[in-house]
Amino acid sequence: MPTAAVLADDPARLGDALFLAIGPAVIFVTLIAWILVVLMTSREARRRRPR
């Protein structure tokens, strides 16, 4: 029996589709959050020392 046929019948592989859907979404949200943090901190007002 080919390996692909054995793996296709394995019920444990059912959850792989969930990880394939959630994985990229988590990476995308993390990347957007990181970009927002970088942009927010770059806009922070620079404080000058008193004379």
Side-chain angles (χ1 to χ4, degrees):
M1 193 181 293
T3 306
V6 173
L7 291 176
D9 294 335
D10 187 10
R13 293 187 50 89
L14 181 62
D16 287 348
L18 182 65
F19 288 117
L20 287 174
I22 292 177
V26 168
I27 292 170
F28 178 74
V29 169
T30 305
L31 183 63
I32 294 298
W34 178 67
I35 291 171
L36 287 175
V37 166
V38 168
L39 288 176
M40 295 291 221
T41 56
S42 68
R43 291 184 182 191
E44 209 170 87
R46 296 185 181 176
R47 299 175 190 191
R48 297 182 182 179
R49 289 187 282 178
R51 294 183 178 176

